[in-house]
Amino acid sequence: MELLVRQVGHWQQGRWSVTASTGNVSRAELVHRLIQGLADLGAETEGQPRRVVPRLDNDLALADQLRVVAADLLAAGPAEEVLARATAEVAATRAAL
């Protein structure tokens, strides 16, 4: 997770707007999808309903959203298979950026 945050944490708006290498979405949309996926895993781990992570107007907030959602997931004490899913999603996102 930290590698991805370091990869994108310094990006300016122009880099977020570029189309990701997989799919037909921007890098910002791809990272937001990852954030939502991690939030969903966290909710499942906590036995709570899924909540929509807001898509903020400023893409520069995505790195912070990623940090918060990842910390929430880890604080929930997920099972190893949940961590493996999260790790695979992060790796796939990094590869697509």
Side-chain angles (χ1 to χ4, degrees):
M1 180 67 57
E2 192 59 35
L3 288 175
L4 179 57
V5 170
R6 279 188 271 160
Q7 179 180 349
V8 302
H10 65 279
W11 285 5
Q12 296 300 314
Q13 185 59 46
R15 289 187 82 177
W16 284 110
S17 300
V18 172
T19 301
S21 65
T22 59
N24 193 20
V25 297
S26 69
R27 290 171 168 171
E29 186 58 36
L30 185 68
V31 171
H32 185 262
R33 286 181 186 176
L34 171 65
I35 292 167
Q36 184 63 61
L38 295 176
D40 292 345
L41 289 174
E44 290 172 19
T45 299
E46 294 172 340
Q48 298 292 322
R50 291 180 175 190
R51 298 170 294 274
V52 175
V53 177
R55 181 70 170 88
L56 303 175
D57 291 335
N58 187 345
D59 293 335
L60 303 182
L62 287 166
D64 290 332
Q65 281 185 306
L66 181 59
R67 280 186 190 101
V68 169
V69 170
D72 288 347
L73 174 59
L74 293 176
E80 288 298 319
E81 52 273 3
V82 173
L83 285 176
R85 282 176 52 198
T87 300
E89 289 181 28
V90 170
T93 300
R94 284 193 73 223
L97 293 176

